[in-house]
mmCIF file of all heavy atoms in Angstrom:
data_model
loop_
_atom_site.group_PDB
_atom_site.id
_atom_site.type_symbol
_atom_site.label_atom_id
_atom_site.label_comp_id
_atom_site.label_asym_id
_atom_site.label_seq_id
_atom_site.Cartn_x
_atom_site.Cartn_y
_atom_site.Cartn_z
ATOM 1 N N ALA A 3 -21.960 -31.062 -48.773
ATOM 2 C CA ALA A 3 -20.603 -30.569 -49.240
ATOM 3 C C ALA A 3 -20.679 -29.988 -50.626
ATOM 4 O O ALA A 3 -20.082 -28.939 -50.930
ATOM 5 C CB ALA A 3 -19.559 -31.653 -49.125
ATOM 6 N N ALA A 4 -21.386 -30.741 -51.516
ATOM 7 C CA ALA A 4 -21.497 -30.249 -52.877
ATOM 8 C C ALA A 4 -22.282 -28.931 -52.937
ATOM 9 O O ALA A 4 -21.923 -28.048 -53.706
ATOM 10 C CB ALA A 4 -22.228 -31.351 -53.771
ATOM 11 N N ILE A 5 -23.326 -28.831 -52.162
ATOM 12 C CA ILE A 5 -24.083 -27.595 -52.041
ATOM 13 C C ILE A 5 -23.230 -26.432 -51.624
ATOM 14 O O ILE A 5 -23.238 -25.263 -52.129
ATOM 15 C CB ILE A 5 -25.303 -27.764 -51.198
ATOM 16 C CG1 ILE A 5 -26.286 -28.786 -51.837
ATOM 17 C CG2 ILE A 5 -26.044 -26.385 -50.981
ATOM 18 C CD1 ILE A 5 -27.471 -29.108 -50.904
ATOM 19 N N GLY A 6 -22.412 -26.692 -50.615
ATOM 20 C CA GLY A 6 -21.512 -25.674 -50.106
ATOM 21 C C GLY A 6 -20.515 -25.221 -51.150
ATOM 22 O O GLY A 6 -20.254 -23.967 -51.308
ATOM 23 N N GLY A 7 -20.026 -26.150 -52.015
ATOM 24 C CA GLY A 7 -19.137 -25.732 -53.063
ATOM 25 C C GLY A 7 -19.811 -24.832 -54.080
ATOM 26 O O GLY A 7 -19.218 -23.902 -54.579
ATOM 27 N N ILE A 8 -21.026 -25.169 -54.410
ATOM 28 C CA ILE A 8 -21.809 -24.319 -55.340
ATOM 29 C C ILE A 8 -21.957 -22.924 -54.812
ATOM 30 O O ILE A 8 -21.794 -21.890 -55.512
ATOM 31 C CB ILE A 8 -23.108 -24.968 -55.734
ATOM 32 C CG1 ILE A 8 -22.879 -26.279 -56.463
ATOM 33 C CG2 ILE A 8 -24.009 -24.037 -56.536
ATOM 34 C CD1 ILE A 8 -24.118 -27.142 -56.644
ATOM 35 N N VAL A 9 -22.419 -22.856 -53.537
ATOM 36 C CA VAL A 9 -22.655 -21.563 -52.906
ATOM 37 C C VAL A 9 -21.415 -20.710 -52.880
ATOM 38 O O VAL A 9 -21.403 -19.539 -53.148
ATOM 39 C CB VAL A 9 -23.264 -21.757 -51.490
ATOM 40 C CG1 VAL A 9 -23.355 -20.383 -50.743
ATOM 41 C CG2 VAL A 9 -24.614 -22.431 -51.517
ATOM 42 N N GLY A 10 -20.291 -21.394 -52.513
ATOM 43 C CA GLY A 10 -18.979 -20.635 -52.428
ATOM 44 C C GLY A 10 -18.611 -20.140 -53.751
ATOM 45 O O GLY A 10 -18.129 -18.919 -53.823
ATOM 46 N N SER A 11 -18.828 -20.819 -54.931
ATOM 47 C CA SER A 11 -18.449 -20.283 -56.146
ATOM 48 C C SER A 11 -19.308 -19.111 -56.563
ATOM 49 O O SER A 11 -18.835 -18.190 -57.252
ATOM 50 C CB SER A 11 -18.505 -21.379 -57.267
ATOM 51 O OG SER A 11 -19.904 -21.877 -57.346
ATOM 52 N N LEU A 12 -20.583 -19.157 -56.117
ATOM 53 C CA LEU A 12 -21.507 -18.031 -56.461
ATOM 54 C C LEU A 12 -21.163 -16.732 -55.757
ATOM 55 O O LEU A 12 -21.459 -15.651 -56.266
ATOM 56 C CB LEU A 12 -22.905 -18.482 -56.162
ATOM 57 C CG LEU A 12 -23.487 -19.576 -57.022
ATOM 58 C CD1 LEU A 12 -24.948 -20.000 -56.505
ATOM 59 C CD2 LEU A 12 -23.634 -19.194 -58.487
ATOM 60 N N ILE A 13 -20.717 -16.833 -54.536
ATOM 61 C CA ILE A 13 -20.456 -15.657 -53.729
ATOM 62 C C ILE A 13 -18.995 -15.200 -53.775
ATOM 63 O O ILE A 13 -18.667 -14.123 -53.227
ATOM 64 C CB ILE A 13 -20.834 -15.850 -52.276
ATOM 65 C CG1 ILE A 13 -19.953 -16.918 -51.554
ATOM 66 C CG2 ILE A 13 -22.268 -16.295 -52.154
ATOM 67 C CD1 ILE A 13 -20.216 -17.017 -50.134
ATOM 68 N N SER A 14 -18.130 -15.938 -54.431
ATOM 69 C CA SER A 14 -16.650 -15.658 -54.433
ATOM 70 C C SER A 14 -16.326 -14.252 -54.964
ATOM 71 O O SER A 14 -15.490 -13.551 -54.390
ATOM 72 C CB SER A 14 -15.896 -16.695 -55.184
ATOM 73 O OG SER A 14 -16.324 -16.825 -56.532
ATOM 74 N N GLY A 15 -17.024 -13.848 -56.025
ATOM 75 C CA GLY A 15 -16.744 -12.534 -56.511
ATOM 76 C C GLY A 15 -17.034 -11.417 -55.579
ATOM 77 O O GLY A 15 -16.314 -10.453 -55.404
ATOM 78 N N ARG A 16 -18.221 -11.492 -54.972
ATOM 79 C CA ARG A 16 -18.622 -10.506 -53.975
ATOM 80 C C ARG A 16 -17.657 -10.506 -52.765
ATOM 81 O O ARG A 16 -17.341 -9.374 -52.222
ATOM 82 C CB ARG A 16 -20.029 -10.776 -53.425
ATOM 83 C CG ARG A 16 -21.088 -10.629 -54.582
ATOM 84 C CD ARG A 16 -22.490 -10.897 -54.017
ATOM 85 N NE ARG A 16 -23.545 -10.791 -55.061
ATOM 86 C CZ ARG A 16 -24.843 -10.995 -54.885
ATOM 87 N NH1 ARG A 16 -25.194 -11.372 -53.664
ATOM 88 N NH2 ARG A 16 -25.646 -10.916 -55.888
ATOM 89 N N VAL A 17 -17.269 -11.692 -52.333
ATOM 90 C CA VAL A 17 -16.351 -11.746 -51.200
ATOM 91 C C VAL A 17 -15.055 -11.079 -51.508
ATOM 92 O O VAL A 17 -14.492 -10.302 -50.697
ATOM 93 C CB VAL A 17 -16.113 -13.208 -50.830
ATOM 94 C CG1 VAL A 17 -14.987 -13.308 -49.756
ATOM 95 C CG2 VAL A 17 -17.386 -13.886 -50.293
ATOM 96 N N ARG A 18 -14.478 -11.351 -52.691
ATOM 97 C CA ARG A 18 -13.179 -10.695 -53.071
ATOM 98 C C ARG A 18 -13.360 -9.165 -53.128
ATOM 99 O O ARG A 18 -12.497 -8.421 -52.685
ATOM 100 C CB ARG A 18 -12.676 -11.262 -54.396
ATOM 101 C CG ARG A 18 -11.338 -10.663 -54.806
ATOM 102 C CD ARG A 18 -10.976 -10.991 -56.220
ATOM 103 N NE ARG A 18 -9.952 -10.095 -56.604
ATOM 104 C CZ ARG A 18 -10.139 -8.850 -57.177
ATOM 105 N NH1 ARG A 18 -11.301 -8.412 -57.303
ATOM 106 N NH2 ARG A 18 -9.103 -8.096 -57.508
ATOM 107 N N LYS A 19 -14.417 -8.747 -53.762
ATOM 108 C CA LYS A 19 -14.618 -7.251 -53.816
ATOM 109 C C LYS A 19 -14.750 -6.586 -52.481
ATOM 110 O O LYS A 19 -14.329 -5.511 -52.261
ATOM 111 C CB LYS A 19 -15.820 -6.908 -54.719
ATOM 112 C CG LYS A 19 -15.666 -7.246 -56.188
ATOM 113 C CD LYS A 19 -16.853 -6.953 -56.956
ATOM 114 C CE LYS A 19 -16.707 -7.296 -58.463
ATOM 115 N NZ LYS A 19 -17.905 -6.965 -59.257
ATOM 116 N N ARG A 20 -15.376 -7.308 -51.585
ATOM 117 C CA ARG A 20 -15.679 -6.719 -50.247
ATOM 118 C C ARG A 20 -14.420 -6.720 -49.355
ATOM 119 O O ARG A 20 -14.159 -5.753 -48.683
ATOM 120 C CB ARG A 20 -16.797 -7.501 -49.528
ATOM 121 C CG ARG A 20 -17.183 -6.954 -48.232
ATOM 122 C CD ARG A 20 -18.424 -7.687 -47.666
ATOM 123 N NE ARG A 20 -19.537 -7.421 -48.473
ATOM 124 C CZ ARG A 20 -20.418 -6.370 -48.204
ATOM 125 N NH1 ARG A 20 -20.154 -5.566 -47.248
ATOM 126 N NH2 ARG A 20 -21.502 -6.194 -49.010
ATOM 127 N N ILE A 21 -13.639 -7.827 -49.351
ATOM 128 C CA ILE A 21 -12.591 -7.895 -48.358
ATOM 129 C C ILE A 21 -11.180 -7.933 -48.985
ATOM 130 O O ILE A 21 -10.166 -7.790 -48.291
ATOM 131 C CB ILE A 21 -12.747 -9.082 -47.428
ATOM 132 C CG1 ILE A 21 -12.527 -10.432 -48.146
ATOM 133 C CG2 ILE A 21 -14.115 -9.108 -46.723
ATOM 134 C CD1 ILE A 21 -12.515 -11.622 -47.287
ATOM 135 N N GLY A 22 -11.105 -8.177 -50.332
ATOM 136 C CA GLY A 22 -9.820 -8.101 -50.980
ATOM 137 C C GLY A 22 -9.151 -9.456 -51.138
ATOM 138 O O GLY A 22 -9.398 -10.401 -50.363
ATOM 139 N N PHE A 23 -8.224 -9.499 -52.133
ATOM 140 C CA PHE A 23 -7.583 -10.848 -52.455
ATOM 141 C C PHE A 23 -6.823 -11.395 -51.319
ATOM 142 O O PHE A 23 -6.911 -12.576 -50.907
ATOM 143 C CB PHE A 23 -6.703 -10.651 -53.674
ATOM 144 C CG PHE A 23 -5.902 -11.828 -54.098
ATOM 145 C CD1 PHE A 23 -6.488 -12.946 -54.780
ATOM 146 C CD2 PHE A 23 -4.582 -11.974 -53.737
ATOM 147 C CE1 PHE A 23 -5.797 -13.997 -55.024
ATOM 148 C CE2 PHE A 23 -3.821 -13.012 -54.084
ATOM 149 C CZ PHE A 23 -4.460 -14.069 -54.768
ATOM 150 N N GLY A 24 -5.879 -10.526 -50.716
ATOM 151 C CA GLY A 24 -4.967 -11.065 -49.687
ATOM 152 C C GLY A 24 -5.752 -11.545 -48.423
ATOM 153 O O GLY A 24 -5.449 -12.601 -47.852
ATOM 154 N N LYS A 25 -6.792 -10.836 -48.056
ATOM 155 C CA LYS A 25 -7.609 -11.253 -46.876
ATOM 156 C C LYS A 25 -8.303 -12.491 -47.166
ATOM 157 O O LYS A 25 -8.554 -13.311 -46.284
ATOM 158 C CB LYS A 25 -8.472 -10.085 -46.449
ATOM 159 C CG LYS A 25 -7.741 -8.868 -45.868
ATOM 160 C CD LYS A 25 -8.769 -7.810 -45.502
ATOM 161 C CE LYS A 25 -7.996 -6.598 -44.878
ATOM 162 N NZ LYS A 25 -8.993 -5.567 -44.557
ATOM 163 N N VAL A 26 -8.772 -12.728 -48.415
ATOM 164 C CA VAL A 26 -9.434 -13.966 -48.755
ATOM 165 C C VAL A 26 -8.474 -15.125 -48.606
ATOM 166 O O VAL A 26 -8.803 -16.158 -48.003
ATOM 167 C CB VAL A 26 -10.013 -13.909 -50.192
ATOM 168 C CG1 VAL A 26 -10.467 -15.300 -50.612
ATOM 169 C CG2 VAL A 26 -11.127 -12.928 -50.296
ATOM 170 N N VAL A 27 -7.289 -15.032 -49.143
ATOM 171 C CA VAL A 27 -6.280 -16.063 -49.029
ATOM 172 C C VAL A 27 -5.944 -16.393 -47.583
ATOM 173 O O VAL A 27 -5.916 -17.539 -47.153
ATOM 174 C CB VAL A 27 -5.023 -15.721 -49.841
ATOM 175 C CG1 VAL A 27 -3.911 -16.754 -49.675
ATOM 176 C CG2 VAL A 27 -5.318 -15.584 -51.334
ATOM 177 N N ILE A 28 -5.649 -15.357 -46.810
ATOM 178 C CA ILE A 28 -5.262 -15.538 -45.434
ATOM 179 C C ILE A 28 -6.463 -16.059 -44.664
ATOM 180 O O ILE A 28 -6.372 -17.026 -43.831
ATOM 181 C CB ILE A 28 -4.724 -14.213 -44.818
ATOM 182 C CG1 ILE A 28 -3.407 -13.870 -45.489
ATOM 183 C CG2 ILE A 28 -4.545 -14.380 -43.334
ATOM 184 C CD1 ILE A 28 -2.883 -12.426 -45.160
ATOM 185 N N GLY A 29 -7.609 -15.404 -44.765
ATOM 186 C CA GLY A 29 -8.707 -15.779 -43.930
ATOM 187 C C GLY A 29 -9.228 -17.188 -44.173
ATOM 188 O O GLY A 29 -9.576 -17.907 -43.285
ATOM 189 N N SER A 30 -9.196 -17.567 -45.466
ATOM 190 C CA SER A 30 -9.674 -18.908 -45.837
ATOM 191 C C SER A 30 -8.789 -19.998 -45.183
ATOM 192 O O SER A 30 -9.274 -21.036 -44.766
ATOM 193 C CB SER A 30 -9.700 -19.126 -47.380
ATOM 194 O OG SER A 30 -8.438 -18.991 -47.932
ATOM 195 N N GLU A 31 -7.484 -19.741 -45.100
ATOM 196 C CA GLU A 31 -6.606 -20.753 -44.473
ATOM 197 C C GLU A 31 -6.884 -20.879 -42.974
ATOM 198 O O GLU A 31 -6.950 -22.004 -42.496
ATOM 199 C CB GLU A 31 -5.110 -20.333 -44.667
ATOM 200 C CG GLU A 31 -4.632 -20.317 -46.158
ATOM 201 C CD GLU A 31 -4.772 -21.666 -46.806
ATOM 202 O OE1 GLU A 31 -4.644 -22.726 -46.128
ATOM 203 O OE2 GLU A 31 -5.057 -21.652 -48.027
ATOM 204 N N TRP A 32 -7.128 -19.766 -42.273
ATOM 205 C CA TRP A 32 -7.401 -19.814 -40.883
ATOM 206 C C TRP A 32 -8.803 -20.506 -40.651
ATOM 207 O O TRP A 32 -9.000 -21.314 -39.749
ATOM 208 C CB TRP A 32 -7.415 -18.472 -40.274
ATOM 209 C CG TRP A 32 -6.017 -17.925 -40.039
ATOM 210 C CD1 TRP A 32 -5.427 -16.907 -40.628
ATOM 211 C CD2 TRP A 32 -5.055 -18.436 -39.029
ATOM 212 N NE1 TRP A 32 -4.096 -16.792 -40.205
ATOM 213 C CE2 TRP A 32 -3.891 -17.651 -39.205
ATOM 214 C CE3 TRP A 32 -5.098 -19.500 -38.105
ATOM 215 C CZ2 TRP A 32 -2.786 -17.865 -38.402
ATOM 216 C CZ3 TRP A 32 -3.940 -19.662 -37.299
ATOM 217 C CH2 TRP A 32 -2.853 -18.933 -37.524
ATOM 218 N N ILE A 33 -9.785 -20.146 -41.523
ATOM 219 C CA ILE A 33 -11.085 -20.754 -41.379
ATOM 220 C C ILE A 33 -11.067 -22.246 -41.577
ATOM 221 O O ILE A 33 -11.715 -23.035 -40.795
ATOM 222 C CB ILE A 33 -12.089 -20.078 -42.425
ATOM 223 C CG1 ILE A 33 -12.350 -18.655 -42.002
ATOM 224 C CG2 ILE A 33 -13.395 -20.864 -42.485
ATOM 225 C CD1 ILE A 33 -13.136 -17.861 -42.965
ATOM 226 N N LEU A 34 -10.333 -22.683 -42.589
ATOM 227 C CA LEU A 34 -10.235 -24.130 -42.842
ATOM 228 C C LEU A 34 -9.540 -24.849 -41.680
ATOM 229 O O LEU A 34 -9.955 -26.057 -41.392
ATOM 230 C CB LEU A 34 -9.510 -24.382 -44.167
ATOM 231 C CG LEU A 34 -10.251 -24.009 -45.420
ATOM 232 C CD1 LEU A 34 -9.423 -24.158 -46.648
ATOM 233 C CD2 LEU A 34 -11.537 -24.909 -45.573
ATOM 234 N N ALA A 35 -8.505 -24.224 -41.121
ATOM 235 C CA ALA A 35 -7.847 -24.914 -39.990
ATOM 236 C C ALA A 35 -8.829 -25.080 -38.882
ATOM 237 O O ALA A 35 -8.880 -26.164 -38.175
ATOM 238 C CB ALA A 35 -6.676 -24.038 -39.560
ATOM 239 N N GLY A 36 -9.659 -24.002 -38.546
ATOM 240 C CA GLY A 36 -10.640 -24.119 -37.486
ATOM 241 C C GLY A 36 -11.722 -25.104 -37.802
ATOM 242 O O GLY A 36 -12.115 -25.937 -36.931
ATOM 243 N N LEU A 37 -12.240 -25.136 -39.007
ATOM 244 C CA LEU A 37 -13.272 -26.041 -39.395
ATOM 245 C C LEU A 37 -12.850 -27.482 -39.371
ATOM 246 O O LEU A 37 -13.600 -28.433 -38.978
ATOM 247 C CB LEU A 37 -13.829 -25.674 -40.772
ATOM 248 C CG LEU A 37 -14.626 -24.436 -40.851
ATOM 249 C CD1 LEU A 37 -15.009 -24.145 -42.374
ATOM 250 C CD2 LEU A 37 -15.985 -24.581 -40.064
#
């Protein structure tokens, strides 16, 4: 879990630039519900 958190923080900038702020907020909520 700790490794996942580190990886997430490292790729967050690229993810936001690629898909946009709103899609990150919406998509992350759906992903977390599924996970």
Side-chain angles (χ1 to χ4, degrees):
I5 294 172
I8 295 171
V9 172
S11 65
L12 292 175
I13 66 174
S14 59
R16 295 180 181 178
V17 172
R18 180 191 165 274
K19 289 180 181 179
R20 181 175 292 271
I21 69 174
F23 175 78
K25 290 181 180 178
V26 170
V27 174
I28 293 172
S30 62
E31 296 299 329
W32 284 111
I33 291 171
L34 288 174
L37 289 173

